């Protein structure tokens, strides 16, 4: 999929926080702890973010979030 074909979604604050964690290099466990979430909730939110960004992998979701200006 080319970014030109990608409909730009709007990320709410929750999704932005999860996207930042994906790009942080931290483990899921550390990211969840930093956000005050259970590991299961954090992973569910990662899955929701991947779906929202139409990403096939966590890496791709991180790249797309970066392209949307999430840092």
């Amino acid at each position: 999929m080319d970014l030109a074909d990608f409909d730009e979604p709007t990320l709410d604050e929750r999704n932005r926080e999860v996207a930042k964690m994906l790009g942080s290099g931290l483990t899921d466990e550390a990211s969840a702890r930093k956000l005050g979430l259970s590991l299961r909730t954090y992973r569910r939110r990662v899955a929701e973010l991947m779906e929202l960004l139409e990403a096939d992998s966590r890496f791709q979701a991180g790249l797309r979030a970066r392209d949307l200006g999430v840092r």
Side-chain angles (χ1 to χ4, degrees):
M1 173 184 271
D2 185 340
L3 270 182
D5 300 330
F6 181 62
D7 250 352
E8 188 173 303
T10 302
L11 299 182
D12 62 18
E13 188 59 31
R14 178 185 71 184
N15 287 325
R16 289 174 121 22
E17 290 174 345
V18 171
K20 287 177 191 175
M21 291 295 103
L22 283 178
S24 72
L26 296 174
T27 63
D28 283 357
E29 290 83 0
S31 295
R33 197 170 35 253
K34 191 167 183 171
L35 294 176
L37 302 172
S38 72
L39 180 57
R40 183 176 177 164
T41 298
Y42 176 78
R43 288 182 172 161
R44 181 178 48 80
R45 289 187 177 177
V46 168
E48 290 170 357
L49 180 64
M50 288 175 57
E51 185 175 332
L52 178 67
L53 295 175
E54 300 176 13
D56 296 323
S57 69
R58 295 161 64 104
F59 180 76
Q60 189 177 39
L63 290 177
R64 290 192 176 156
R66 183 202 62 202
D67 292 342
L68 291 172
V70 176
R71 305 233 186 267

